[in-house]
Amino acid sequence: MRKILFLVVAIVMSLGANAQEIGKETQKRMQWFGDAKLGIFIHWGIYSVNGIDESWSFFNDYISYDDYMNQLAGFTAEKYNPEEWAELIAGSGAKYAVLTSKHHDGVALWDTKCNDLNVVDKTPAGKDLVAPFVKELRKNDLKVGLYYSLLDWSHPDYPNKTRKIKRYENDSLRWANFVDFNLCQLEELSKQFKPDLYWFDGDWEQSAEKWKAKELSESLRKWNKDVILNSRIQGYGDYATPEQGLPVTQPDAPYWELCMTMNDSWGYQHNDHNYKTPNQVIRILVDCINKGGNLLLDIGPKADGSISDEQVEILKELGRWTNKHAEAIYGTQAGIPYEHYYGPTALNKTGDILYLFVPHKPNGSLVLKGIKNKINRMWVVGNGTKLNWDVKMKQYWSAVPGIVYIDVPEKVLDEQVTVIAVLLDGKVDLYREQGQVIESN
């Protein structure tokens, strides 16, 4: 009995040690992602020819499948300049980019040998579009992400073709063929391009068991042990991916990323001019930073490979702002609760510098409450101007910190969002008084 008890204890301790080791491995793998804060999503495919919804146009019966695929003939990529793309992305302040290697329509942007539905064999572009872009991202010290749709509404062995049309209901042999096809393409991508990140999509149509998500994730890490996977692989991903809707509260996931369009479309649509302003984009980025997450901002190149002027201008102004305020962006952690400051905040890694984001021209002094630390210094990030502050209502007999009033001269304000750095005498220490319930007779 005693030997059995020792054996059980040893097994439990071993499992605990392994779990701890896995946790450390995950943290190491995810470090660059957690520090990055900004990435650029790129939706590029044949849907840009007519400027229609990518893949969903035929799936939802807005147009016929044949009319959708006729766009193959107009996808030229004649103005595609991956060097300019990479420089524009790097200039925006992004630390990684994610390119749609294949959307739900099944059209691959690389020279896949797993089938012939790709831009090399089926479009006037006639060349691999992924390889040169990956090369240029690496040149600019940017991490490489590849979007890959697990479902493929064009593949003859995938059960669904449109919302109403199914190729089959139950056919284990055809399904096994499709799973092998996915594995074939992902092995190509992994071995040829060695991406730092996979951005999966389309997992909702099948279960983890049917996708063989566990085996797939293990294969991806066999080919590249440090690869990061997003959450859309039925529970085997590394980070959460809210889409379009900015989280109101901080997500529970330790790592997360908001993916968002510049206008209302992922791919290029010439009729969609509802672009967010640079100010709106920057303030959304700030909200993501405040909650400890990343922003993956989308661009949609045209069928010829050029990027519209509106998108270029947004990226350039974003780059001006991120370059100026780099210390308050990259490598930061989530800020303090809004009760302490009327706006978004962030903390440096050691927690002794508090960054205050100021999206408006202040009407009077900024207010900081409940900070138990001594404040050593304040300055305007990207400007260097030292700021004055005053403490009111600090009573020597009370544990409640005083209210800090910060004067910010108008001349130091950034035209988009101003950032104030507050250097503390140690890791931020917040006063969080528990409310008392007063009962009346």
Side-chain angles (χ1 to χ4, degrees):
M1 178 66 74
R2 184 174 297 179
K3 288 182 179 179
I4 294 174
L5 180 62
F6 284 150
L7 180 60
V8 170
V9 170
I11 291 172
V12 170
M13 290 179 66
S14 175
L15 289 172
N18 287 339
Q20 188 176 17
E21 190 62 33
I22 290 171
K24 288 180 180 178
E25 288 178 4
T26 300
Q27 289 178 11
K28 182 180 178 181
R29 183 170 70 244
M30 295 299 295
Q31 183 172 342
W32 74 259
F33 180 86
D35 289 345
K37 303 307 173 187
L38 178 62
I40 298 299
F41 215 172
I42 306 159
H43 276 69
W44 194 30
I46 65 170
Y47 38 86
S48 59
V49 174
N50 292 340
I52 57 177
D53 288 342
E54 59 290 332
S55 307
W56 296 98
S57 299
F58 71 81
F59 183 79
N60 289 323
D61 294 319
Y62 300 147
I63 63 173
S64 71
Y65 177 79
D66 289 341
D67 283 343
Y68 181 91
M69 297 307 288
N70 283 340
Q71 294 177 105
L72 287 164
F75 190 75
T76 66
E78 60 189 345
K79 295 182 180 179
Y80 175 44
N81 189 327
E83 182 178 0
E84 287 184 1
W85 278 26
E87 289 176 356
L88 182 64
I89 290 166
S92 75
K95 299 301 181 183
Y96 62 107
V98 179
L99 174 66
T100 50
S101 67
K102 188 190 76 170
H103 206 269
H104 310 323
D105 58 16
V107 181
L109 295 191
W110 80 99
D111 190 13
T112 179
K113 304 304 180 185
C114 303
N115 70 353
D116 63 355
L117 186 51
N118 59 75
V119 296
V120 181
D121 296 324
K122 298 292 187 180
T123 75
K127 58 185 176 183
D128 187 320
L129 303 175
V130 176
F133 183 55
V134 168
K135 181 180 178 182
E136 292 302 326
L137 288 179
R138 301 280 190 215
K139 278 186 182 179
N140 284 272
D141 295 323
L142 295 166
K143 296 290 186 180
V144 174
L146 294 178
Y147 169 110
Y148 183 84
S149 173
L150 290 169
L151 63 82
D152 186 332
W153 291 323
S154 289
H155 197 282
D157 287 323
Y158 188 74
N160 301 331
K161 182 174 182 179
T162 70
R163 189 174 296 278
K164 297 177 181 178
I165 301 174
K166 289 184 178 294
R167 295 183 177 92
Y168 62 89
E169 289 287 350
N170 296 296
D171 190 325
S172 58
L173 180 59
R174 292 182 71 179
W175 179 253
N177 288 339
F178 180 74
V179 171
D180 288 343
F181 165 73
N182 265 357
L183 192 65
C184 176
Q185 287 201 321
L186 286 166
E187 184 173 7
E188 284 183 339
L189 291 171
S190 296
K191 291 184 175 180
Q192 290 181 35
F193 306 122
K194 297 179 173 55
D196 302 288
L197 180 153
Y198 272 113
W199 212 102
F200 288 110
D201 202 7
D203 68 332
W204 64 83
E205 285 199 346
Q206 311 294 337
S207 66
E209 183 181 7
K210 289 201 71 173
W211 287 126
K212 292 192 175 181
K214 182 176 185 294
E215 296 88 339
L216 179 57
S217 64
E218 289 172 351
S219 293
L220 294 171
R221 294 227 160 88
K222 179 183 70 176
W223 297 320
N224 179 2
K225 68 182 180 67
D226 294 323
V227 72
I228 292 172
L229 312 179
N230 78 333
S231 62
R232 302 184 187 190
I233 186 171
Q234 288 287 357
Y236 289 89
D238 295 305
Y239 68 94
T241 53
E243 181 173 330
Q244 295 287 47
L246 177 67
V248 176
T249 58
Q250 185 170 335
D252 291 334
Y255 302 97
W256 65 273
E257 164 198 81
L258 168 66
C259 59
M260 181 190 80
T261 55
M262 284 187 175
N263 48 12
D264 295 322
S265 309
W266 292 106
Y268 175 73
Q269 295 195 19
H270 56 276
N271 289 323
D272 186 354
H273 303 291
N274 190 30
Y275 282 96
K276 299 171 184 68
T277 66
N279 180 266
Q280 290 169 335
V281 170
I282 290 168
R283 289 171 65 177
I284 291 169
L285 169 61
V286 165
D287 271 334
C288 292
I289 295 168
N290 168 66
K291 296 177 177 65
N294 294 3
L295 172 63
L296 185 63
L297 179 66
D298 182 68
I299 60 175
K302 300 177 183 179
D304 63 5
S306 61
I307 300 172
S308 69
D309 292 341
E310 297 97 327
Q311 296 182 24
V312 170
E313 289 308 309
I314 290 172
L315 291 179
K316 285 184 175 180
E317 178 58 12
L318 180 59
R320 181 202 66 80
W321 188 85
T322 54
N323 181 63
K324 179 180 178 182
H325 301 99
E327 71 165 90
I329 301 171
Y330 310 110
T332 59
Q333 56 181 313
I336 60 177
Y338 278 89
E339 296 91 347
H340 297 272
Y341 171 71
Y342 301 130
T345 58
L347 289 161
N348 67 342
K349 279 196 172 180
T350 54
D352 61 349
I353 298 180
L354 174 63
Y355 295 105
L356 311 177
F357 295 96
V358 188
H360 307 288
K361 177 182 176 181
N363 183 15
S365 302
L366 300 180
V367 177
L368 190 58
K369 299 178 291 183
I371 306 296
K372 295 164 71 173
N373 306 75
K374 175 187 173 185
I375 296 174
N376 288 334
R377 186 162 63 94
M378 291 189 193
W379 68 94
V380 181
V381 175
N383 177 290
T385 300
K386 293 182 181 179
L387 298 178
N388 297 319
W389 70 93
D390 189 22
V391 180
K392 303 288 189 185
M393 297 181 67
K394 173 56 185 160
Q395 306 297 329
Y396 73 91
W397 45 264
S398 174
V400 181
I403 300 175
V404 180
Y405 292 93
I406 307 166
D407 293 326
V408 183
E410 186 173 346
K411 64 181 180 180
V412 304
L413 296 177
D414 185 84
E415 58 195 274
Q416 305 296 349
V417 176
T418 306
V419 187
I420 307 301
V422 181
L423 177 63
L424 308 172
D425 65 349
K427 186 176 180 180
V428 65
D429 189 7
L430 302 177
Y431 178 81
R432 304 288 286 172
E433 183 179 25
Q434 297 298 318
Q436 293 181 337
V437 177
I438 301 175
E439 297 181 354
S440 59
N441 292 328

